[in-house]
Amino acid sequence: MTTIDDFNFDGKKALVRVDFNVPLNEKFEVTDTNRIEAARPTILKILEDGGSAILMSHLGRPKGKSDPDMSLKHLVDKASEILGVKVNFVADCIGEEAKAAAQALKSGEILLLENLRFHAEEEAGDAGFAKELSELGDIYVNDAFGTAHRAHASTTIIARYFEGSKCFGYLMAKEIAAIKKVMETGEKPVTAVLGGAKVSSKITIIENILDKIDHLIIGGGMTYTFVKARGGKVGDSICEDDKQELALEILEKAKSKGVEVHLPVDVVAADDFNNNANTKVVSVDEIPEGWQGLDAGPETLERFKEVILKSRTILWNGPVGVFEMPNFAKGTIAVGNQIDEATKAGAFSLVGGGDSVAAVKQFGFEDKVSYVSTGGGAMLESLEGKTLPGIAAITD
Ligand code: AMP
């Protein structure tokens, strides 16, 4: 894997694809700086080598047209503060103005280009647009894991103009290493904890990881499709009736591959989808009509704990209950604590994909697991076994 450490940027202009797609409030202030902070080590390495950094990113979904609300100029002050270096800005990412600003850039300086997606060519993966971008820098660095699953001009196509002078930034390298640690070189036993609302959105992941794991813990809303398929009574719990057969197939496949599947045995059921609903703990197979399972029960959590604590590699994707409601967040918090304990005992734990990260951050598990992925869709596709175009463009 060619990373930024394989290059010395002295006197070079690095063209860095970052993911500065950050949330802004109505005053256009950055409300979550994580993504800017995540790109910091890469940018500083370039500057410390004696190079300069030209940053390119998208922000929001302007659909190929200029939109002042989605201008990256709103990020300039915050980025300057976080990077500790003044960030210069140019109001287009291609054209004469961008070229002049890039040319004028001196060692130790940073230039941020305007939103790539103000040009429809970016998302179309247009080669001419990618070539124009490529002319701004000497070395291409991709550090935008969050968009690595898209074959856009700045994430993928551009790499063809940097034969021998393209590499991953630190963030990308960390993401790739974390995925590898779970999917390829993970110490056994390897356990996947899959939760979330629906089986349908996790099927490809399950199918891909069955070859790589020893234990599969299933929780959250997905549970009930499996339970009903097995003949259990799930009451009003969320359930995908058309996926029951598939659920049985997954259980069969897991068995044939020697993967132990752990489904909840008891659940916290509620008489309404509401934080203040009446609740009771019931067997997962005996949920009365009018009641729905919204969180993992105590016996279930004991069993999950036993599996998690003996695991050496853990992948966590999706909450085991409706964590947005405090009364049904206890299961997800308990699982987080169990993964924390396993991690402290030496296990490698990766959290990522979709909304998992939101739950982890909300309960402060971010610093307790080994790695929290920064890419929702990109991590999901990696777990599904797909080769991400942004990664292939550097490695091929
Ligand atoms: P996902 O994006 O697939 O990881 O799903 C996350 C969502 O699943 C969260 O918004 C949870 O509230 C929801 N969820 C988890 N458990 C349940 C459940 N038992 N019933 C309904 N929704 C659930």
Side-chain angles (χ1 to χ4, degrees):
M1 179 162 67
T2 312
T3 76
I4 189 161
D5 280 331
D6 297 311
F7 288 88
N8 186 319
F9 290 85
D10 190 18
K12 303 278 188 207
K13 290 186 165 72
L15 187 57
V16 192
R17 178 53 159 105
V18 289
D19 181 2
F20 280 0
N21 185 28
V22 294
L24 302 175
N25 63 16
E26 64 290 345
K27 287 193 228 148
F28 301 107
E29 293 158 347
V30 180
T31 55
D32 181 345
T33 55
N34 272 326
R35 286 181 165 167
I36 303 176
E37 278 155 28
R40 191 168 176 263
T42 291
I43 297 167
L44 294 192
K45 140 85 179 167
I46 293 164
L47 302 188
E48 277 158 20
D49 271 4
S52 55
I54 301 165
L55 311 181
M56 41 182 189
S57 178
H58 75 280
L59 176 64
R61 294 189 172 146
K63 303 216 164 81
K65 286 198 195 78
S66 245
D67 180 341
D69 287 1
M70 290 180 232
S71 171
L72 281 164
K73 74 174 182 222
H74 302 306
L75 275 66
V76 167
D77 290 345
K78 196 40 95 181
S80 301
E81 187 189 313
I82 291 169
L83 299 170
V85 181
K86 177 176 171 267
V87 172
N88 299 286
F89 177 74
V90 58
D92 200 352
C93 60
I94 52 164
E96 287 312 314
E97 211 188 331
K99 231 184 255 176
Q103 257 159 22
L105 206 63
K106 295 191 200 69
S107 288
E109 292 184 341
I110 301 175
L111 174 67
L112 174 63
L113 307 177
E114 180 57 289
N115 197 338
L116 293 157
R117 291 193 188 169
F118 285 179
H119 295 267
E121 291 89 343
E122 163 63 0
E123 288 180 83
D126 183 82
F129 177 73
K131 185 159 191 298
E132 255 196 278
L133 287 173
S134 75
E135 285 160 4
L136 300 175
D138 307 308
I139 300 172
Y140 172 63
V141 180
N142 190 350
D143 212 19
F145 183 70
T147 43
H149 56 318
R150 309 273 184 229
H152 293 170
S154 71
T155 63
T156 303
I157 313 302
I158 193 170
R160 66 173 76 143
Y161 305 107
F162 288 96
E163 221 34 75
S165 53
K166 55 185 179 180
C167 62
F168 295 118
Y170 289 126
L171 176 64
M172 275 286 253
K174 267 201 294 194
E175 296 274 357
I176 296 168
I179 297 164
K180 193 167 170 190
K181 240 175 152 169
V182 172
M183 307 290 272
E184 292 174 38
T185 58
E187 206 183 311
K188 284 173 157 299
V190 181
T191 298
V193 182
L194 295 188
K198 293 180 170 175
V199 188
S200 51
S201 62
K202 308 275 157 118
I203 280 166
T204 339
I205 296 185
I206 299 178
E207 284 178 340
N208 184 48
I209 61 177
L210 281 181
D211 284 324
K212 309 171 201 300
I213 60 175
D214 306 294
H215 296 274
L216 174 61
I217 290 179
I218 293 176
M222 280 205 297
T223 305
Y224 308 100
T225 304
F226 286 92
V227 170
K228 193 168 175 187
R230 267 186 344 198
K233 295 196 183 78
V234 299
D236 293 354
S237 306
I238 187 173
C239 184
E240 291 173 279
D241 283 336
D242 61 330
K243 295 289 177 294
Q244 287 186 43
E245 213 156 298
L246 194 70
L248 292 178
E249 271 169 40
I250 290 173
L251 294 177
E252 253 330 289
K253 221 184 242 176
K255 201 170 169 190
S256 73
K257 290 182 191 286
V259 177
E260 276 183 51
V261 178
H262 309 272
L263 275 157
V265 288
D266 60 350
V267 296
V268 179
D271 61 358
D272 191 16
F273 191 78
N274 183 327
N275 188 47
N276 301 316
N278 296 307
T279 62
K280 58 181 173 185
V281 173
V282 296
S283 154
V284 75
D285 293 307
E286 296 289 347
I287 304 173
E289 287 303 322
W291 293 75
Q292 51 187 307
L294 294 186
D295 201 6
E299 172 66 26
T300 299
L301 291 172
E302 274 309 308
R303 294 193 185 193
F304 285 181
K305 184 174 180 179
E306 207 177 294
V307 178
I308 288 170
L309 289 190
K310 69 180 175 199
S311 304
R312 299 294 299 163
T313 304
I314 302 163
L315 164 70
W316 186 16
N317 174 285
V320 300
V322 185
F323 75 97
E324 297 92 338
M325 299 183 197
N327 286 338
F328 306 106
K330 294 185 192 103
T332 300
I333 295 172
V335 166
N337 283 328
Q338 293 163 9
I339 296 177
D340 174 23
E341 205 178 325
T343 309
K344 284 203 182 97
F348 177 80
S349 52
L350 166 65
V351 179
D355 284 336
S356 323
V357 177
V360 162
K361 283 186 180 164
Q362 185 176 324
F363 303 123
F365 291 122
E366 231 172 327
D367 304 320
K368 297 179 174 167
V369 296
S370 311
Y371 194 70
V372 180
S373 174
T374 59
M379 180 51 77
L380 280 184
E381 290 195 17
S382 302
L383 298 177
E384 287 171 354
K386 293 185 188 143
T387 305
L388 308 187
I391 291 178
I394 301 282
T395 50
D396 287 353

